[in-house]
Amino acid sequence: CTCKSWNDLIGSKSFVSTHLNRNVTKHAHVCILCLHHPNFERLINRDDPYSKKEFQWSLFSNETFEQCYKLSHPLGSTEHYWIYGSSNGLVCISDEILNFDSPIHIWNPSVRKLKTTPMSTNINMKFSIVSLQFGFHPGVNDYKAVRMMRTNKGAVAIEVYSFRTESWKMIEAIPPWLKCTWQHHKGIFLNGVAYDIIEKGPIFSVMSFDSGSEEFEEFIVPDAICASWGLCIDVYKGQICLLFDCYPCEEEGMEKIDLWVLQEKLWKQLPSFIYPLGYCFGIIGINIDNELLMGRRDLTKGVADLYFC
């Protein structure tokens, strides 16, 4: 009797919602998803195909950085897979190189449950996949996957998967400013909205697509951003941000990474992240505590370190 009542309680929508909100608010049970070589002391070339075969995904503690759990493919596949987003303990995985028929799995590693999205009836070989993003949309209380594609004639197409209805929907209304030649760079998913950096000729902009309302918007990046190299999109204090590592620092012996956040549809520049000159730092992203994560590679010593700024 007790088991049944407890099972009914923890399976109810109100309990699930309260539990998730509590964990998000308190940053409880937060882990770092990391793709790494089994030998942590070994500095490897990420482009080396032999080393790449040994890479694995793992969960690491957000506080101690100790390895908590090795993520083997849930279906037992030995092929290398990629993670295209995570939200509330769910991760979206698929092939590293996406094709129109690549299987997409929504996976909960903690309870070892898996849902595979159905094959879309809207796409075929004439489509090439540009990006895949996944996350939770609080406005519609549903998990969404957004797939951006091109046709063989260069036209753009966008499909949205609903976890609740277990179906794909092709977005018919594409804005005119997307019906041109453009190049996709990086993207991120926040509160049900997919944000992507796109390059149209000499102009860089951030395209947003709300997977709930199915509305598009475009935000031209600040004039100081002139290249894709050193440009990163992430979330800082709950807002979409751009990180740009290009310009010299005014402070002697230091380097900087410029930071802008998107506030009320305008870019606002915040104080830059400052770090010591002379090391090979690379931007990894911003963590849940709003600290900048950077990797430092020391090729002479053959080591790589994780730094917070």
Side-chain angles (χ1 to χ4, degrees):
C1 295
T2 303
C3 180
K4 186 177 186 303
S5 64
W6 284 6
N7 188 57
D8 291 342
L9 172 66
I10 66 175
S12 66
K13 290 183 179 180
S14 61
F15 182 91
V16 171
S17 178
T18 304
H19 179 65
L20 288 177
N21 289 336
R22 176 183 177 276
N23 286 345
V24 169
T25 303
K26 295 189 174 184
H27 291 179
H29 311 298
V30 174
C31 292
I32 296 175
L33 273 168
C34 183
L35 181 67
H36 63 93
H37 190 276
N39 183 358
F40 296 117
E41 303 300 322
R42 177 180 168 190
L43 183 66
I44 50 85
N45 180 359
R46 287 173 289 186
D47 297 323
D48 182 354
Y50 296 103
S51 295
K52 201 170 183 179
K53 287 181 181 179
E54 300 177 339
F55 283 6
Q56 66 185 48
W57 286 98
S58 293
L59 293 176
F60 289 80
S61 166
N62 190 47
E63 297 177 354
T64 65
F65 304 108
E66 292 182 355
Q67 187 178 16
C68 304
Y69 188 66
K70 179 183 174 182
L71 297 179
S72 301
H73 195 287
L75 296 178
S77 172
T78 57
E79 292 295 319
H80 190 54
Y81 67 94
W82 198 255
I83 293 178
Y84 290 93
S86 67
S87 182
N88 298 333
L90 301 182
V91 293
C92 176
I93 66 173
S94 189
D95 299 336
E96 184 180 11
I97 300 175
L98 291 169
N99 293 309
F100 76 96
D101 58 350
S102 292
I104 298 172
H105 309 289
I106 313 298
W107 177 32
N108 187 332
S110 299
V111 296
R112 296 184 173 88
K113 287 188 176 182
L114 180 79
K115 179 181 282 190
T116 302
T117 66
M119 288 293 294
S120 171
T121 58
N122 302 316
I123 64 173
N124 50 43
M125 289 182 66
K126 70 178 183 181
F127 289 91
S128 60
I129 311 299
V130 176
S131 72
L132 173 64
Q133 292 166 277
F134 168 81
F136 181 69
H137 196 308
V140 297
N141 193 31
D142 193 11
Y143 292 91
K144 300 278 191 176
V146 176
R147 180 162 54 184
M148 186 186 298
M149 302 162 288
R150 286 186 195 276
T151 67
N152 52 11
K153 295 182 179 180
V156 66
I158 290 181
E159 243 191 342
V160 178
Y161 173 76
S162 166
F163 191 84
R164 185 194 299 144
T165 63
E166 300 185 10
S167 61
W168 289 96
K169 179 182 179 181
M170 182 70 81
I171 305 303
E172 304 291 343
I174 302 297
W177 49 265
L178 258 182
K179 296 177 180 178
C180 63
T181 303
W182 51 271
Q183 184 178 354
H184 177 269
H185 289 289
K186 299 170 183 175
I188 197 163
F189 201 89
L190 175 65
N191 293 331
V193 182
Y195 295 88
D196 294 270
I197 298 175
I198 60 174
E199 180 181 358
K200 297 187 290 184
I203 299 173
F204 288 87
S205 63
V206 172
M207 179 204 80
S208 75
F209 170 72
D210 190 315
S211 60
S213 65
E214 300 177 2
E215 294 178 347
F216 292 86
E217 283 191 271
E218 183 180 27
F219 307 97
I220 305 298
V221 303
D223 292 339
I225 297 176
C226 54
S228 60
W229 187 91
L231 178 60
C232 181
I233 187 169
D234 215 305
V235 178
Y236 181 71
K237 295 185 177 179
Q239 298 172 309
I240 289 297
C241 75
L242 294 173
L243 297 157
F244 192 48
D245 182 8
C246 179
Y247 297 108
C249 184
E250 298 80 10
E251 226 177 294
E252 189 176 350
M254 305 296 283
E255 290 193 58
K256 70 170 183 175
I257 295 174
D258 292 314
L259 171 68
W260 292 265
V261 295
L262 189 60
Q263 291 184 349
E264 298 178 351
K265 301 186 178 183
L266 296 173
W267 296 106
K268 178 183 178 181
Q269 187 165 12
L270 299 183
S272 303
F273 289 101
I274 307 294
Y275 62 96
L277 180 69
Y279 294 99
C280 185
F281 283 102
I283 300 173
I284 296 175
I286 293 177
N287 69 5
I288 199 167
D289 297 315
N290 299 304
E291 299 168 313
L292 177 66
L293 271 67
M294 297 192 296
R296 192 192 79 174
R297 296 163 65 85
D298 190 330
L299 299 176
T300 57
K301 295 181 179 179
V303 295
D305 299 303
L306 182 67
Y307 277 77
F308 292 89
C309 187

